[in-house]
Amino acid sequence: MRITGAVLERCGAPAPYAESRPVTVGPLELDPPGEREVLVRIEAAGLCHSDLSVVDGNRARQVPMLLGHEAAGIVEAAGPGAGLAVGQRVVMTFLPRCGRCAQCATDGRLPCAEGSAANAAGTLVGGGRRLSRTVPGADGGAGSGAGGVQEVHHHLGVSAFATHAVVSETSVVPVDDDVPPDVAALLGCAVLTGGGAVVNAGRPAPGDRVAVVGLGGVGMAALLVAVALGHEVVGVDAVPAKLDLARELGAALAVGPQEAADQGLRAPVVIEAAGSARAFETAYALTAPGGTTVTVGLPHPDARASVSPLSLTAEARTVVGSYLGSAVPGRDIPRYVELWRDGRLPLDRLVSDRITLDDLPVALDRLASGAALRQLVMF
């Protein structure tokens, strides 16, 4: 079928992206769903730092690639063996889980081996690609020269910046119709990652203070979940507007990194969600003796942070890396839905802008500047 989507043409293009235009919006061909796959009509898709890290080259991927990994939509067709019904609303998640490998047996601590391999290759977990386009002069496997057919890679098994997507059923979690698409979309990455950093990796005891360093979409989701669970929360960010919002959302204290250091703030559980070495060092410094530092950010592979090895031993510290919030999506998403239904998880407050596909270059610049939380592409 013919769809419209936003394709990343090259990694590492210079900012501002509104001028360098590494992302183009245009027509693509989408194959029907295969074995245990579904066709989803996208309703809403979130723009995340994981998208930006591919655009800016921090996490280079194969191109051309149809971007987008956090979304919600409606199942319009199911392939052979798929267990989802047409008309079902689903949350799309960026790490398919096979449920068979040794990593899947770690209860979310390690990412699925099969899903990770497919994500790195730009394919679906079942193998191959379902996306292509006609490009003059292309040599994409089915032809070359004028009118050549070029394969387009999938982004993290989802490729949600498009009107439709074909995905493995292991990349989606069904939700009820009362969960609106803009809320459902956020459950697939921001809430799974930020909330999971608290619930699955940090595991604060009742009454423990939780600090969150980096109040973007993921960090603010971590803050919301910690507040919903009754913890005193400290938000840390260099952007004053984000500190104001953190206070509105229930943070007991919201300060800049230097102010946190000057006040000698400490917490038993500290979440780093900024994706920078400096933020990691700030989070580690805020962690109380005996406490746990959880890092979910994705800095450049060459980034290095400095910590005192002595403090790990002398203060009985723990440092935990948490990918996708150490989540099992089918288990965790229903938990967050119930918190939302109870009025304890106001996820709509995470949405800073609602945009179209054509707005993506400007939205990427807004995200890179630190001014945005979650910008949602609405279809």
Side-chain angles (χ1 to χ4, degrees), residues 4-368:
T4 300
V7 175
L8 177 65
E9 306 291 352
R10 63 193 188 279
C11 294
Y17 303 113
E19 296 179 6
S20 60
R21 311 296 291 192
V23 177
T24 62
V25 176
L28 300 100
E29 293 296 327
L30 181 64
D31 292 341
E35 185 80 21
R36 297 188 63 203
E37 294 175 354
V38 291
L39 169 67
V40 179
R41 173 174 57 82
I42 305 299
E43 298 178 289
L47 178 60
C48 171
H49 266 280
S50 292
D51 300 301
L52 178 61
S53 68
V54 178
V55 174
D56 66 18
N58 276 354
R59 292 178 66 81
R61 300 279 183 177
Q62 299 181 70
V63 294
M65 172 175 280
L66 179 53
L67 288 175
H69 66 278
E70 174 191 78
I74 302 295
V75 175
E76 289 200 336
L84 292 164
V86 172
Q88 172 72 62
R89 176 166 288 145
V90 292
V91 174
M92 307 171 84
T93 70
F94 67 84
L95 180 65
R97 285 196 171 273
C98 71
R100 301 181 300 271
C101 67
Q103 286 90 323
C104 281
T106 64
D107 198 34
R109 188 174 67 84
L110 293 177
C112 171
E114 186 176 339
S116 297
N119 284 356
T123 66
L124 296 188
V125 72
R129 299 170 185 85
R130 310 292 179 263
L131 293 161
S132 62
R133 64 182 179 178
T134 300
V135 180
D139 183 9
S144 60
V149 176
Q150 181 184 53
E151 281 195 322
V152 175
H153 300 282
H154 296 272
H155 185 211
L156 301 178
V158 177
S159 291
F161 290 160
T163 52
H164 293 78
V166 165
V167 299
S168 166
E169 69 174 358
T170 63
S171 292
V172 300
V173 175
V175 293
D176 291 337
D177 290 342
D178 69 312
V179 184
D182 50 353
V183 168
L186 298 172
L187 295 169
C189 175
V191 179
L192 271 186
T193 304
V198 177
V199 175
N200 299 322
R203 300 185 177 185
D208 275 355
R209 169 189 277 182
V210 175
V212 181
V213 178
L215 299 176
V218 169
M220 207 68 84
L223 182 149
L224 281 176
V225 169
V227 169
L229 297 177
H231 296 283
E232 178 188 86
V233 181
V234 176
V236 181
D237 200 284
V239 179
K242 291 182 177 179
L243 299 179
D244 292 339
L245 180 58
R247 296 184 192 100
E248 292 178 22
L249 295 179
L253 186 64
V255 296
Q258 188 59 54
E259 187 178 356
D262 291 344
Q263 293 184 19
L265 293 176
R266 296 291 184 270
V269 174
V270 182
I271 312 298
E272 181 278 307
S276 77
R278 184 173 181 182
F280 175 81
E281 291 173 347
T282 296
Y284 187 81
L286 288 174
T287 307
T292 299
T293 309
V294 180
T295 177
V296 298
L298 295 172
H300 190 279
D302 296 335
R304 296 291 181 269
S306 177
V307 300
S308 165
L310 176 62
S311 64
L312 284 168
T313 303
E315 298 181 0
R317 301 277 205 98
T318 301
V319 177
V320 177
S322 179
Y323 187 71
L324 186 58
S326 309
V328 178
R331 175 198 68 196
D332 293 349
I333 285 176
R335 295 176 178 175
Y336 299 128
V337 168
E338 287 307 310
L339 287 173
W340 170 79
R341 282 201 183 103
D342 291 343
R344 297 162 62 189
L345 199 60
L347 296 179
D348 59 294
R349 298 298 303 275
L350 295 180
V351 181
S352 52
D353 300 276
R354 289 174 169 81
I355 63 174
T356 68
L357 285 177
D358 290 328
D359 297 326
L360 277 172
V362 172
L364 284 165
D365 288 326
R366 198 155 45 221
L367 180 61

